[in-house]
Amino acid sequence: MPAGARPERVAEEFREILAEEIPRLKDPRVGFLTVTHVEVSADLRKATIYYTVLGENRDHRRTRAGLASARAHLRSVLGHQVRMKFTPDIEFREDVGLSHVERVNQLLREIGVAKAPVVPAADGDEGLDEDDGDDG
């Protein structure tokens, strides 16, 4: 079994369980969120759960606080559903990759750029493909 196979399987199992369990939380602070992925350490002692949230900045803060308060409950759920010697400590981190992409697109729209401009090849570059640098 490859070194990373078990942590990857455990991470995927955690992602599926949390994706079902988080919407069941009765905490009104936890908004509409998606568990994007989970990383589990090689020794299976720590799990980092990455998520995205829809809404404004205050919604993100409220969801973060709601997840922090539900951490023990969610860890308990994982411990009951996944058979392991130790239930890992869990940490929540907002997955900001998608929000960065959205922000860049918004800024590009604001300055009037719909797509990146296509840069034509310079006149001197046309013969490079045929020559390959051989002089013989």
Side-chain angles (χ1 to χ4, degrees):
M1 170 172 22
R6 182 147 190 242
E8 288 175 11
R9 285 194 322 264
V10 170
E12 182 58 25
E13 184 74 18
F14 281 5
R15 188 193 65 74
E16 291 175 7
I17 292 168
L18 291 170
E20 290 178 10
E21 189 63 30
I22 290 174
R24 294 181 188 150
L25 295 174
K26 296 195 184 329
D27 192 332
R29 296 176 293 179
V30 178
F32 184 74
L33 70 86
T34 302
V35 176
T36 57
H37 69 282
V38 176
E39 291 178 357
V40 177
S41 64
D43 64 359
L44 305 175
R45 295 287 183 135
K46 183 177 180 192
T48 305
I49 294 95
Y50 292 89
Y51 65 94
T52 58
V53 181
L54 291 181
E56 300 296 320
N57 200 18
R58 67 180 163 83
D59 298 325
H60 293 242
R61 287 192 306 270
R62 293 180 68 200
T63 297
R64 190 176 316 119
L67 287 174
S69 72
R71 193 175 111 193
H73 167 72
L74 293 171
R75 184 172 183 253
S76 173
V77 169
L78 290 172
H80 288 296
Q81 292 191 30
V82 179
R83 193 165 188 170
M84 297 176 66
K85 190 172 189 176
F86 299 102
T87 303
D89 290 326
I90 61 173
E91 175 184 353
F92 291 95
R93 289 198 184 154
E94 189 169 356
D95 191 349
V96 294
L98 186 59
S99 64
H100 283 286
V101 169
E102 290 174 11
R103 178 70 177 143
V104 167
N105 286 334
Q106 176 189 3
L107 291 171
L108 288 172
R109 282 191 302 271
E110 286 176 8
I111 62 172
V113 177
K115 290 185 179 179
V118 177
V119 179
D123 291 339
D125 292 342
E126 292 176 4
L128 289 180
D129 290 338
E130 298 170 6
D131 191 9
D132 289 0
D134 275 318
D135 287 334

